[in-house]
Amino acid sequence: MVVFMSHSSDRVFIFNSNKSCFSSAVFSSFPLANIWIEKNALSGVLTEYPLNQGSYDWAVEQGYFKVKSPIDRAPVFIGSFISTYQKRWHFIDGEVLQETVDQ
């Protein structure tokens, strides 16, 4: 069982099913996402994202990422950026396998 300790309205939880190119759901809290994933026996990754801010900007603002070269400011890099400091939960058949935060 995963217990989500903090709820904040400045975060959203986005679910990506395994082998899918696009997200299939967005939730305002982990418990709501967990219920939906479990109910539908889904496999994939649930990721916490900052609301109204890109992952790149959030990571820079938090001090989790430092710009070191021109490529670090390139649109292709910023547009595909996800921070290892964003919380992720891996699910198989609706069950949480693990929570991941690489710090």
Side-chain angles (χ1 to χ4, degrees):
M1 171 187 228
V2 172
V3 177
F4 186 69
M5 297 293 193
S6 64
H7 171 69
S8 177
S9 61
D10 63 347
R11 301 276 176 240
V12 292
F13 301 82
I14 299 179
F15 181 76
N16 288 77
S17 181
N18 289 344
K19 300 180 184 178
S20 175
C21 294
F22 300 101
S23 303
S24 57
V26 179
F27 296 92
S28 60
S29 70
F30 175 83
L32 290 174
N34 192 40
I35 289 167
W36 181 76
I37 294 166
E38 187 176 274
K39 178 179 116 182
N40 292 291
L42 301 175
S43 297
V45 178
L46 181 69
T47 305
E48 181 183 53
Y49 283 88
L51 184 61
N52 298 325
Q53 186 176 33
S55 294
Y56 176 90
D57 298 322
W58 174 83
V60 170
E61 183 181 286
Q62 298 298 313
Y64 297 141
F65 180 75
K66 304 270 190 262
V67 175
K68 296 176 185 163
S69 71
I71 191 67
D72 292 347
R73 292 188 185 269
V76 69
F77 182 82
I78 293 170
S80 61
F81 184 90
I82 184 167
S83 173
T84 59
Y85 286 87
Q86 289 174 253
K87 292 181 183 177
R88 296 177 303 285
W89 295 264
H90 298 264
F91 289 82
I92 290 189
D93 300 328
E95 297 294 321
V96 176
L97 289 182
Q98 66 183 20
E99 176 183 353
T100 306
V101 180
D102 301 330
Q103 296 185 3

